[in-house]
Amino acid sequence: MTEPESFSLETEVLVVGAGYAGLTAAACLAERGTSVVVLEAADRVGGRVLSEVRPSGVRIDHGGQWIGPTQRRFRALAERFGCRTFPTWETGRNAEIWHDGTRLDYTGALPPSGPGAGEYERITALLDDLARTVDLERPWATPRFAELDRWSAEEFFRAETSDEAVLRRLSLAVQGVWCAEPREISFFHVLFYVASAGGYEQLMETRGCAQDARFSSGADAVARALARQLGERVRLGAPVLSMRQDARGVEARTERGVVRARRAIVAVPPAVVERIAFDPPLPADRLGWLRHNPMGRVAKVHAVYEEPFWRAAGQSGIATLYGENPVGVVFDNSPQDASRGVLVAFVYADRLDRWAALGAGDRRRAVLAALSEVVGERALRPLDYAEMIWPRTGWTAGGYECFATPGGWAGHGRAGWRAPTGRIHWAGTETASVWNGYIDGAISSGERAAAEVAARREAAGQLR
Ligand SMILES: Cc1cc2nc3c(=O)[nH]c(=O)nc-3n(C[C@H](O)[C@H](O)[C@H](O)COP(=O)(O)OP(=O)(O)OC[C@H]3O[C@@H](n4cnc5c(N)ncnc54)[C@H](O)[C@@H]3O)c2cc1C
């Protein structure tokens, strides 16, 4: 990788964004012998995946961290670069803490006698049934597409139940998976996403599902390995400010230089695409799609302790909190050798908005108070404490991913979701059909965009 400097480059393909999608697209093209330049706004690669070794010696993942067994593309890349994983800790009793302070300890996916548990399972089974009707490659071909997309998830849930406990469970599920409130998200998008993961359980559970394992060297290790392989093709600290295309090619400008290419792959989240000035302007459907795809709002907070003391008390450290305090979900994020104890707390959506507006001291007190409800008052005295408030990070504007609001798919999905705009192709996890929203989806989107570009090249006998 090179340090930022003035440049004027000619290449066959320009890739914008060095997250998993952009790096994969560039690596696929480079392996085919195509010349490629990657422009990345930040001073690092990895995008929404970022690992850090803390002063306490513990490595934490501020962004994406888990990998599941059916995330085949991510697994293949991790294996190729020798990046090892270890199972997520889930031994011991999980806890549910309700708004009235009630605490339920349980093992397994749900407390069988928990408030609203049976009805919640009925509704999530219904989600799975409806998700099986989704056409992942051509979502607009799904039966009842426009009708399902008109509803918000909240409208669907309220049509199914008026039980407040069930609604609280469903809300936390939406917050935990999409970092949004049920009123904000298209019900069709929920179904699409469930289908894209292979079922509701895949999204929610740990063993055998999306939260199955973590990386010994951080979840960005694979991205760093891809970037090393791409070498000087990757330019950091180079936000693309404008892109102009005509019949001959694409020209991208940054503050430091310009890149001219035959084609471009833009691999940045929908929520930040419009920070680039396009000439000619993007078509109406693409703009409509982008404007119906806001980013989720999430913070990840890590508290580090001398040891995972909750394990000795028979607790897993896994908790769901339905109350007014900021934290929605807690996991044990200790290193594999348990040399320290680490709890990670997730703060989502409306609760994030309220918590993020507090001063640093109040934020910390509120999170530690929530952790103490889960594992006891020792949680109030961490060795180390680290927050990452994703909506405040410059170049991705939130996390985990963008989600479609009601009417977005039916109004603009067909032409706006991922169809190329002239010589500009679109990648990024939000364009994936499988594991949309996840690292695995980012990787497959990079592969698809690279294949689109290569197909144009083969069709024309050259890159035109
Ligand atoms: C808190 C959190 C937890 C998550 N947990 C998981 C998890 O456990 N497992 C999982 O699989 N996924 C998880 N995800 C989601 C996962 O991180 C993303 O799906 C994935 O990293 C997206 O990759 P991407 O390449 O599509 O986009 P990004 O990673 O967002 O990459 C886009 C890149 O483009 C750059 N960029 C933006 N604008 C410009 C510009 N104008 N010019 C140049 N560069 C630009 C950005 O700096 C960024 O590097 C999580 C995400 C977050 C935030």
Side-chain angles (χ1 to χ4, degrees):
M1 278 172 282
T2 53
E3 289 305 309
E5 58 186 11
S6 295
F7 54 82
S8 172
L9 302 168
E10 304 270 340
T11 185
E12 286 174 283
V13 182
L14 163 68
V15 175
V16 181
Y20 269 92
L23 291 169
T24 303
C28 290
L29 289 163
E31 280 162 22
R32 288 181 166 117
T34 304
S35 71
V36 57
V37 169
V38 183
L39 295 179
E40 164 57 47
D43 57 5
R44 61 175 182 85
V45 300
R48 281 170 270 176
V49 184
L50 166 62
S51 311
E52 183 198 3
V53 178
R54 296 290 302 171
S56 52
V58 167
R59 181 185 288 280
I60 61 173
D61 277 306
H62 289 293
Q65 66 172 40
W66 282 297
I67 180 169
T70 68
Q71 297 176 347
R72 295 191 185 89
R73 288 183 171 85
F74 192 16
R75 280 164 57 93
L77 263 191
E79 277 164 25
R80 176 169 147 198
F81 291 114
C83 299
R84 291 204 320 274
T85 62
F86 64 96
T88 301
W89 182 268
E90 59 160 10
T91 306
R93 294 184 312 280
N94 307 333
E96 265 191 7
I97 297 171
W98 285 82
H99 55 294
D100 59 3
T102 313
R103 179 194 174 106
L104 281 168
D105 280 20
Y106 66 100
T107 52
L110 266 184
S113 58
E119 183 67 346
Y120 169 80
E121 284 197 294
R122 180 188 72 76
I123 294 173
T124 60
L126 192 53
L127 294 182
D128 269 330
D129 286 346
L130 287 166
R132 277 189 278 275
T133 69
V134 172
D135 185 326
L136 287 169
E137 294 300 328
R138 298 170 59 247
W140 41 90
T142 302
R144 299 169 61 202
F145 171 61
E147 178 193 347
L148 296 170
D149 190 49
R150 253 197 311 276
W151 298 340
S152 67
E154 174 159 287
E155 284 167 324
F156 177 81
F157 295 155
R158 287 195 179 276
E160 286 294 323
T161 183
S162 54
D163 181 325
E164 275 307 314
V166 182
L167 290 167
R168 279 180 191 268
R169 284 189 191 281
L170 291 164
S171 290
L172 187 55
V174 170
Q175 292 154 10
V177 173
W178 293 277
C179 307
E181 298 296 333
R183 67 172 188 278
E184 298 174 303
I185 188 167
S186 148
F187 181 57
F188 176 76
H189 189 74
V190 168
L191 299 178
F192 169 81
Y193 202 88
V194 168
S196 138
Y200 187 79
E201 186 182 43
Q202 274 294 323
L203 294 171
M204 305 307 293
E205 297 305 325
T206 306
R207 197 62 66 239
C209 298
Q211 284 69 238
D212 186 73
R214 290 163 50 215
F215 284 85
S216 310
S217 321
D220 65 3
V222 183
R224 286 185 277 115
L226 277 170
R228 271 196 300 280
Q229 181 181 290
L230 287 163
E232 302 219 329
R233 298 178 184 95
V234 181
R235 291 190 173 243
L236 302 179
V240 171
L241 305 174
S242 67
M243 293 181 79
R244 192 165 62 79
Q245 62 168 320
D246 60 24
R248 282 163 303 156
V250 181
E251 183 182 278
R253 291 198 167 268
T254 74
E255 271 183 1
R256 291 200 179 77
V258 58
V259 178
R260 289 179 197 83
R262 292 291 184 87
R263 289 189 177 271
I265 294 174
V266 176
V268 311
V272 300
V273 167
E274 282 196 81
R275 291 185 188 173
I276 302 172
F278 290 91
D279 176 17
L282 294 177
D285 271 326
R286 180 69 184 152
L287 287 176
W289 174 254
L290 298 176
R291 289 168 191 176
H292 280 81
N293 269 267
M295 252 301 175
R297 286 116 63 213
V298 65
K300 248 176 114 170
V301 184
H302 284 87
V304 181
Y305 304 92
E306 286 287 355
E307 57 188 354
F309 57 86
W310 50 92
R311 294 184 185 180
Q315 292 183 284
S316 66
I318 298 177
T320 40
L321 295 87
Y322 297 96
E324 292 310 311
N325 75 51
V327 176
V329 169
V330 177
F331 267 90
D332 178 333
N333 246 9
S334 306
Q336 186 174 16
D337 63 5
S339 52
R340 296 275 191 224
V342 183
L343 291 174
V344 61
F346 289 84
V347 185
Y348 307 116
D350 284 357
R351 285 202 258 183
L352 172 79
D353 298 342
R354 289 193 292 272
W355 173 80
L358 300 173
D362 286 340
R363 287 202 306 271
R364 176 183 163 122
R365 271 188 289 282
V367 168
L368 295 180
L371 294 181
S372 76
E373 282 190 59
V374 176
V375 295
E377 58 88 37
R378 238 178 117 178
L380 297 171
R381 295 181 298 280
L383 292 177
D384 189 9
Y385 172 93
E387 294 174 352
M388 178 65 91
I389 304 176
W390 280 89
R392 292 187 181 170
T393 60
W395 290 102
T396 53
Y400 323 130
E401 74 278 330
C402 300
F403 59 91
T405 55
W409 272 107
H412 310 284
R414 187 173 191 141
W417 174 36
R418 65 184 184 191
T421 306
R423 290 175 174 271
I424 298 175
H425 300 254
W426 305 102
T429 191
E430 287 83 0
T431 68
S433 289
V434 175
W435 283 108
N436 184 292
Y438 287 74
I439 298 166
D440 191 78
I443 293 167
S444 68
S445 79
E447 291 171 356
R448 176 197 41 78
E452 271 176 21
V453 169
R456 295 289 205 285
R457 181 186 203 191
E458 278 156 25
Q462 58 177 315
L463 247 174
R464 289 195 296 165

